[in-house]
Amino acid sequence: MSNSADRPAVVKQDLANVIHPIVPHKQLEEQQLVIVSGKDSTVVDADGHEYLDGMAGLWCVNIGYGRTELAEVAADQMRQLSYYPHTAMNLPAAALAEKVNGLLGGDNHVYFVSSGSEANEAAFKFARQYARHEFPQQNRYKAISRYYAYHGTTLATLAAGGMGDRKMKFEPLSGNDFVHVAPPYCYRCPFGLEPTSCDLACVKNMETTIQGEGPETVAEVIIEPVMSAVGVAVPPDGYLTAVAELCKKYGVLLHVDEVINGFGRTGKMFAHQHAGIKPDIVTVAKGISSAYLPMAATVVRNTVFQSFVGDPSENRQVMQVNTYGGHPAAAAVSLRNIEIMLQENLAQRSAENGAYLLDALRTLARHKWVGDVRGLGLYAGVELVTDRASKAVMPAAQIKRLVERCQERGVIVGRSGGGRHLGNTLVLAPPLVLTRAEIDRIVSVLDQTIPEICPEAAP
Ligand SMILES: Cc1ncc(COP(=O)(O)O)c(C=O)c1O
């Protein structure tokens, strides 16, 4: 589809046949966005309107849109070998595994899947199977996770997540496999403390929980270093290191979800590298291919991988299989995507332009309804409150209108999905190729739109 004449036909065809994720169907009947092309940080709709995509799609198009070279890589690979199951070996998947392993320290093995949810599912199963092999006298099956976290959409990843409204229509979810603890969400610290003097109360809460549950029942702790769903909650200094130490103390595997955080988003290749920790399991998706094709992986340290190695009669291999894992075309495209990221220094660029973005966003604090501005790399949240003292959240209808008005002005911004009552943070996770002029434009549109939608917020 290349011109606006086709638009009504596509809308009709779509509304009659498609179930869209999470968006109310009635809303789609009124507002249809039909995107037909993209280049760098800009996407174009069927009417020819351009939008600066402050969300890189769904936090994933890290190298930007329109890299035709990736289309060539996919086509070449498909001509050579379109598919063969990963129970055998293939060239691009082996090369991609080596690349990803190298970026994560070189002492890992990589299991390929096609989405972040699947990567986390595989990780939960690996952690349980590892525990069954290594602690046969115990029953370590629980995962400790945090409230407000999002780890995926399947039943187990939903249970691991801590967003009540996403779960309520499906509960009860699986037993007591996933136990939740306080998140490191400093603006709304669950303990009412300040990050400079809290003494990491949230990590103490995690320790109390591990002790209370019984460490011999806990297989892993899952954390997303910077929590996306609640609006880019950056943890306090020392948090990641303290969680890593806790896991070591209780023999619990540390599973770091880098599905959004990874591949340059936070200004380093992986967010946990800011703290210099070594997780046992790292899950990646999105930026691994910049969403040119579906690709994701569960990366396991060799100390854990060894548990799955033995004589075939011992039956120690991972009890996991999926049709599309290690897909040759997706692997070839992902490998080239990572090479582009490295050649163009996009993680470093994310750090530098992210600092510029954060400074620019802080100028929005002159509007009374801006309660908090936070971020790391090209990854930022602007939390809107109707009263700074009480931190009362901005009403949902207003923040929805704010996001829509920005889009009408040609700038796509996201909003937090952290539960019904915490959808009040504007979110930015743009392509890492975003320019400073584009950052200025995003901030200027926000500056113009916030007081327009909420006149009470004007300075
Ligand atoms: C932190 C995190 N983990 C896992 C997922 C699930 O990834 P997918 O949508 O590819 O299944 C997401 C999706 O946004 C995510 O943000």
Side-chain angles (χ1 to χ4, degrees):
M1 167 165 179
S2 56
N3 62 57
S4 57
D6 301 325
R7 189 181 188 285
V10 171
V11 169
K12 190 163 171 248
Q13 188 179 42
D14 181 297
L15 289 175
N17 296 286
V18 178
I19 299 177
H20 286 270
I22 220 152
V23 188
H25 200 78
K26 283 270 171 226
Q27 185 179 318
L28 288 164
E29 286 172 9
E30 285 151 29
Q31 308 159 345
Q32 306 100 17
L33 188 61
V34 182
I35 296 294
V36 295
S37 65
K39 181 84 186 114
D40 303 328
S41 300
T42 298
V43 291
V44 183
D45 75 10
D47 297 321
H49 298 128
E50 294 191 353
Y51 304 87
L52 186 50
D53 184 5
M55 282 303 289
L58 215 45
W59 341 56
C60 53
V61 187
N62 290 17
I63 63 167
Y65 297 91
R67 304 259 191 174
T68 50
E69 122 179 50
L70 292 188
E72 304 304 330
V73 170
D76 286 349
Q77 180 56 46
M78 284 185 196
R79 277 186 211 104
Q80 177 75 29
L81 174 71
S82 59
Y83 172 74
Y84 197 76
H86 214 198
T87 41
M89 302 181 187
N90 73 65
L91 275 65
L96 177 62
E98 185 183 62
K99 178 63 83 185
V100 171
N101 180 20
L103 293 171
L104 282 162
D107 55 348
N108 310 280
H109 276 71
V110 181
Y111 181 77
F112 288 118
V113 289
S114 307
S115 71
S117 301
E118 265 186 285
N120 284 332
E121 287 273 353
F124 299 144
K125 289 174 72 181
F126 288 173
R128 288 186 193 201
Q129 191 181 337
Y130 167 83
R132 199 54 72 86
H133 292 175
E134 303 302 319
F135 306 100
Q137 308 306 325
Q138 301 178 354
N139 187 15
R140 287 183 180 255
Y141 65 96
K142 294 176 192 164
I144 308 287
S145 62
R146 284 99 43 94
Y147 286 110
Y148 304 144
Y150 182 75
H151 294 297
T153 194
T154 59
L155 285 174
T157 55
L158 201 58
M163 298 167 75
D165 57 332
R166 296 276 175 107
K167 302 202 233 193
M168 59 191 267
K169 292 192 181 173
F170 312 104
E171 286 171 325
L173 294 168
S174 54
N176 61 346
D177 314 20
F178 297 96
V179 182
H180 294 86
V181 298
Y185 177 16
C186 298
Y187 181 64
R188 295 179 189 276
C189 173
F191 306 100
L193 299 170
E194 292 298 323
T196 43
S197 54
C198 67
D199 206 14
L200 298 176
C202 48
V203 181
K204 293 205 167 62
N205 170 245
M206 189 181 273
E207 178 159 24
T208 306
T209 306
I210 293 174
Q211 287 172 336
E213 292 293 324
E216 70 285 354
T217 69
V218 180
E220 66 153 70
V221 165
I222 176 170
I223 55 167
E224 185 190 24
V226 179
M227 294 181 77
S228 308
V230 79
V232 191
V234 182
D237 288 346
Y239 178 85
L240 295 178
T241 311
V243 170
E245 281 166 5
L246 203 60
C247 287
K248 203 162 169 204
K249 180 170 169 187
Y250 292 102
V252 169
L253 298 184
L254 175 59
H255 166 181
V256 174
D257 180 339
E258 293 267 3
V259 167
I260 288 180
N261 286 197
F263 293 98
R265 173 59 56 207
T266 69
K268 286 199 184 287
M269 209 53 170
F270 298 99
H272 69 267
Q273 292 171 340
H274 287 282
I277 59 168
K278 288 282 283 177
D280 301 293
I281 304 177
V282 177
T283 43
V284 293
K286 300 189 190 258
I288 189 174
S289 66
S290 291
Y292 276 79
L293 281 175
M295 173 55 75
T298 309
V299 186
V300 177
R301 267 183 94 180
N302 284 343
T303 43
V304 176
F305 171 72
Q306 284 314 321
S307 186
F308 305 129
V309 180
D311 187 84
S313 62
E314 294 178 72
N315 204 25
R316 298 181 74 90
Q317 69 281 2
V318 296
M319 293 305 285
Q320 192 75 10
V321 62
N322 63 330
T323 303
Y324 299 119
H327 191 282
V333 163
S334 300
L335 183 60
R336 187 69 201 114
N337 165 66
I338 296 172
E339 283 165 2
I340 290 172
M341 241 175 230
L342 294 171
Q343 278 160 8
E344 298 182 9
N345 249 328
L346 292 185
Q348 180 62 25
R349 182 166 167 161
S350 168
E352 288 164 10
N353 283 351
Y356 180 85
L357 170 69
L358 206 55
D359 279 349
L361 288 173
R362 287 199 173 114
T363 64
L364 297 175
R366 66 195 189 87
H367 300 292
K368 291 186 202 113
W369 280 22
V370 173
D372 192 30
V373 177
R374 51 185 181 251
L376 191 64
L378 275 171
Y379 189 36
V382 178
E383 181 150 355
L384 296 162
V385 294
T386 55
D387 175 50
R388 279 187 184 151
S390 68
K391 301 184 180 174
V393 300
M394 181 178 183
Q398 259 170 316
I399 192 147
K400 181 169 175 288
R401 184 67 200 120
L402 180 52
V403 170
E404 284 167 1
R405 190 74 189 105
C406 289
Q407 187 173 311
E408 286 160 14
R409 293 200 155 109
V411 169
I412 293 175
V413 298
R415 64 180 273 209
S416 54
R420 268 155 307 180
H421 59 301
L422 288 174
N424 62 316
T425 300
L426 293 173
V427 170
L428 291 167
L432 307 184
V433 293
L434 192 77
T435 65
R436 292 205 172 182
E438 288 170 332
I439 291 175
D440 293 343
R441 177 147 168 254
I442 292 174
V443 177
S444 147
V445 165
L446 288 174
D447 196 32
Q448 188 184 1
T449 311
I450 291 173
E452 180 189 304
I453 300 301
C454 355
E456 312 90 316

